[in-house]
Amino acid sequence: GTFFKLTPPAQGSGIWTDTTLYAFSGGADGAYPEAVRARSDGIAPSTSFFLLASGGGAELNNGTTAATGTLILITPKPGGSTFTPHVLHTFGPSDGTVPTGPLLADKNDNLYAATTTGGGSGHGAVLQFSPAGGGVWTERTIYSFGPNLTRGSYPVGLTDTLGFRSEEHSLNSSH
């Protein structure tokens, strides 16, 4: 998948131009982008973005390919035309797999994502990612779905009812 921006034509009518900002390799950085969020914490340049991918990822400790999703931060290289990826988290069976958008943020710059499978009972989870300083992020499962219908199963995303910041999708992604 790719992360790109669209630029309107100069005269207001005509063909829009697309510019690829980041192309997922399908490996450690992830595959199948699901959500994007502009970084707005004042630490990284305002042109940095968090990207949530539902596939790909680094190998787990047992040597098997996770292929279950990533959360990455891309920051502009000098000149700003290309970006450097920083893998913040690779999803795995214990914390949740196959993350899905949207990617929400609260006033403390914590990020929240849902996974459609994995977690405590294998039926999905909601995760919180918090900046710990020095480019390190911590991950915490705040809710695991299932295994019975009273707790829900296989979520398809999060809805913001707590007043989180919602500048998601300031740019576009495609599978």
Side-chain angles (χ1 to χ4, degrees):
T2 60
F3 176 60
F4 60 93
K5 74 174 181 177
L6 292 173
T7 305
Q11 299 300 322
S13 64
I15 298 174
W16 287 51
T17 306
D18 66 86
T19 304
T20 297
L21 299 178
Y22 184 74
F24 286 86
S25 71
D29 63 343
Y32 312 115
E34 288 287 329
V36 60
R37 174 169 224 72
R39 184 163 187 178
S40 60
D41 59 12
I43 297 170
S46 62
T47 53
S48 295
F49 299 92
F50 293 102
L51 303 174
L52 188 66
S54 64
E59 290 186 1
L60 297 175
N61 291 335
N62 64 7
T64 62
T65 301
T68 55
T70 59
L71 173 63
I72 69 170
L73 171 66
I74 59 167
T75 55
K77 291 180 180 177
S81 61
T82 59
F83 288 79
T84 300
H86 308 277
V87 177
L88 303 179
H89 184 73
T90 297
F91 293 86
S94 63
D95 64 359
T97 56
V98 191
T100 183
L103 186 59
L104 300 178
D106 67 17
K107 65 181 179 176
N108 297 317
D109 298 317
N110 297 307
L111 299 173
Y112 299 85
T115 65
T116 57
T117 59
S121 67
H123 294 259
V126 177
L127 304 172
Q128 177 189 50
F129 300 93
S130 303
V136 175
W137 287 69
T138 60
E139 169 264 328
R140 177 171 76 102
T141 300
I142 60 173
Y143 187 78
S144 285
F145 292 92
N148 55 45
L149 294 178
T150 61
R151 295 197 54 210
S153 293
Y154 312 113
V156 292
L158 298 174
T159 300
D160 178 7
T161 60
L162 300 175
F164 291 167
R165 295 190 316 261
S166 58
E167 64 272 359
E168 176 161 349
H169 297 298
S170 57
L171 293 180
N172 301 295
S173 65
S174 70
H175 293 246

